[in-house]
DNA sequence: CTTGTTCCGTATAGTTTTTATACGTATACT
DNA sequence: AGTATACGTATAAAAACTATACGGAACAAG
């Protein structure tokens, strides 16, 4: 019996239960009935399934009237911070949230649809794009290849016929319209080397930190060795710097070196410091 | 017929379909069968349900062999950027992801469980906490009240008996142990004024931007008026500044003013510029 | 221009999942 | 002692879902 041969709905419930045990340390049928609107009988079923799946299963504590996870409970699956917060947060509906307003970044649906269409049908599309450096807006044909995500905003990768190279674009810099001229791509596009190259970034706690502070940084980023290894497409490396604040004055992490792994290749070809 | 009186599982499927139509502009039964592992018959059912729920419903396009959303499609529910990206991304499993490595922030499960326990049972807890300013680690008793989330890392709010006030704490600065001494809270805690005060922050595109650039910033943050209004608990205002990069040199948004709305009150009592 | 493919749709019977309900146990609060 | 809330189990009934078959429309390939 594994997670995989369960139905999607029950799997979702067991994963939620898994997070309850992992992050709250306790689980009740109530958690499932509230969240998924199932009956207590079904919740009891799910508990039985979960307890049989996980090793070193939680046990019922009659005092607490709840199942309690073992000290060394091993979750069935990893969880995102968002998922963890959902389990730890105790907001009621009507109250101010304990999370920052999040979805403030906005994406125009017509732009998204036009780009998605161009990507999936391998077509080029004509947009008016505003450069943030010069501040000017100019029309150009591009061939979008992939959407990308830095955790906050959605960007995309495209071949710019104007520049003759692949670049990262920002949907919000496209002038919004209901639809856009599109066309067939005649000659095959060049190979997007930066996209297919892997950047392996090695980070360490800033040398200006005390050893206790460095231990905190290691804990926060989840590494215990000297260095933290981050792997990302070279084309997206810039976003790592910005999002992790690596280039800011008081940065607590600093780059030690960056290795590039080229496609069709498993060896490191180049190292920058 | 509304979303609310559907079962959780079907609701999730219709919401996913809703995102397909909203962000991709097209939807197929395949989308549902792949993602949720349901039969095509059930997917057809879900389509029927969705089409009856949404106004100005998508229509089948026999050329495309897909349902196509109307130009002015209105989604049933808003979606987070993460959800949108899931719908737009075209990664295959084995390939490098198009999203930045996300869950690199880490949280110790024993710390989370101890804090969650203290919060839900209103107990105090003794921790060793490392100050990032002084770099020193010292034990102290705190009474945690709520978890908070800045979109990336989970923090928490607690009353510090040492300082005699409520403060924001970072779980990763707590020295990890398997369990922590806890105690009953004798005297009732003071009122957490900053927590219950609402900060209304008014932002505008930086005055150094051209009007085209300012239009881009408005689009990216989803406002069309002069000012963008952001509401957040005063206790969490600091995180907004940092996460939105408001105090960085090249910031594209700048604060115009901040209004404070105190609890038990609907009027603005104080304005800072 | 026939054949195969891939979308869509509908219908039926059968299986699985889930609910509603009832009944029993243990702990805790008043 | 009575009430409430956790837990558990069992059963019949309802709902959700699957497997399968059949039919239509568009399109690509032989």
């Amino acid at each position: 019996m594994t997670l995989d041969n369960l139905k999607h709905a029950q799997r979702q419930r067991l994963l939620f239960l898994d997070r309850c045990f992992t992050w709250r340390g306790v689980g009740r049928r109530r958690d499932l009935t509230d969240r998924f609107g199932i009956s207590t009988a079904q919740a009891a079923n799910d508990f039985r399934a979960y307890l049989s799946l996980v090793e070193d299963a939680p046990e019922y504590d009659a005092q607490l009237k709840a199942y309690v996870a073992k000290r060394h409970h091993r979750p069935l699956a990893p969880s995102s911070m968002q998922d963890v917060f959902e389990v730890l947060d105790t907001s009621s509906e009507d109250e101010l949230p304990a999370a920052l307003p999040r979805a403030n970044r906005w994406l125009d649906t017509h732009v998204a649809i036009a780009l998605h269409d161009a990507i999936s049908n391998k077509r080029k599309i004509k947009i008016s794009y505003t450069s943030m450096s010069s501040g000017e807006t100019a029309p150009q044909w591009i061939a979008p290849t992939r959407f990308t995500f830095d955790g906050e905003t959605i960007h995309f990768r495209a071949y710019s016929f104007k520049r003759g190279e692949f670049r990262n674009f920002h949907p919000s810099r496209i002038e919004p319209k209901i639809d856009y001229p599109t066309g067939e791509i005649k000659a095959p596009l060049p190979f997007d080397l930066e996209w297919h190259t892997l950047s392996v970034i090695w980070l360490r706690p800033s040398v200006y930190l005390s050893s206790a502070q460095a231990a905190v940084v290691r804990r926060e980023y989840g590494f215990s060795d000297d260095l933290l290894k981050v792997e990302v497409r070279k084309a997206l490396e810039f976003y790592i710097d910005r999002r992790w604040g690596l280039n800011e004055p008081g940065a607590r992490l600093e780059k030690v070196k960056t290795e590039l792994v080229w496609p069709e290749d498993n060896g490191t070809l180049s190292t920058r410091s």
Side-chain angles (χ1 to χ4, degrees), chain A:
Chain A
M1 166 93 108
T2 59
L3 265 186
D4 300 328
N5 45 31
L6 296 173
K7 298 284 162 120
H8 183 86
Q10 194 180 18
R11 185 163 54 241
Q12 294 304 114
R13 296 200 300 269
L14 295 202
L15 287 174
F16 178 75
L17 197 52
D18 192 44
R19 293 197 289 272
C20 290
F21 282 124
T22 306
W23 301 104
R24 291 180 182 161
V26 290
R28 295 175 234 266
R29 300 200 298 202
R30 188 75 188 276
D31 298 324
L32 293 178
T33 58
D34 280 1
R35 164 106 180 193
F36 296 98
I38 57 172
S39 64
T40 59
Q42 188 55 37
N45 240 321
D46 290 344
F47 265 77
R48 198 145 18 92
Y50 182 80
L51 298 178
S52 79
L53 270 177
V54 74
E55 43 181 346
D56 218 354
E59 276 176 15
Y60 188 64
D61 180 323
Q63 272 72 37
L64 284 174
K65 293 182 183 180
Y67 277 88
V68 177
K70 298 292 185 179
R71 280 214 185 307
H72 300 293
H73 182 75
R74 294 237 141 248
L76 291 179
S79 13
S80 73
M81 276 296 156
Q82 179 71 53
D83 289 336
V84 175
F85 181 67
E86 256 167 46
V87 160
L88 291 179
D89 186 31
T90 50
S91 296
S92 41
E93 277 298 312
D94 46 352
E95 174 188 29
L96 271 173
L100 294 195
R102 180 161 222 290
N104 278 68
R105 300 294 181 123
W106 199 72
L107 176 61
D108 184 86
T109 59
H110 296 110
V111 170
I113 289 173
L115 290 173
H116 179 263
D117 179 72
I119 291 173
S120 41
N121 298 317
K122 301 196 195 312
R123 293 175 68 78
K124 62 182 180 182
I125 179 175
K126 191 180 181 189
I127 58 170
S128 282
Y129 197 73
T130 302
S131 157
M132 283 306 268
S133 44
S134 76
E136 274 160 30
T137 303
Q140 63 172 310
W141 283 95
I142 60 171
T145 53
R146 289 286 292 271
F147 282 100
T148 61
F149 188 48
D150 67 7
E152 190 156 15
T153 306
I154 292 174
H155 313 285
F156 66 99
R157 187 85 177 157
Y159 182 76
S160 165
F161 290 95
K162 191 165 121 192
R163 306 262 187 178
E165 62 181 12
F166 283 93
R167 305 198 126 211
N168 297 317
F169 288 81
H170 299 235
S172 55
R173 298 192 193 163
I174 298 175
E175 201 168 273
K177 291 186 195 164
I178 294 292
D179 47 21
Y180 297 84
T182 70
E184 205 182 322
I185 299 173
K186 301 284 163 38
L189 298 176
F191 183 73
D192 189 352
L193 186 59
E194 284 203 315
W195 179 262
H196 291 99
T197 298
L198 174 68
S199 276
V200 183
I201 307 169
W202 294 93
L203 301 166
R204 69 164 166 238
S206 165
V207 292
Y208 298 111
L209 298 176
S210 75
S211 67
Q213 288 168 321
V216 165
V217 171
R218 286 206 182 79
R219 228 137 56 208
E220 182 166 352
Y221 290 90
F223 64 114
S224 44
D225 305 329
D226 273 358
L227 299 182
L228 171 61
K229 180 188 189 184
V230 179
E231 302 192 351
V232 67
R233 290 177 185 277
K234 181 164 187 330
L236 304 177
E237 194 182 327
F238 163 76
Y239 296 115
I240 288 271
D241 296 0
R242 202 189 47 179
R243 192 155 152 72
W244 291 30
L246 298 183
N247 297 328
E248 281 171 43
R252 289 170 306 169
L253 280 175
E254 59 188 24
K255 274 194 200 178
V256 177
K257 61 176 183 233
T258 301
E259 297 162 352
L260 296 180
V261 182
W262 303 73
E264 318 271 311
D265 189 280
N266 287 329
T268 303
L269 286 198
S270 159
T271 301
R272 291 175 289 166
S273 67

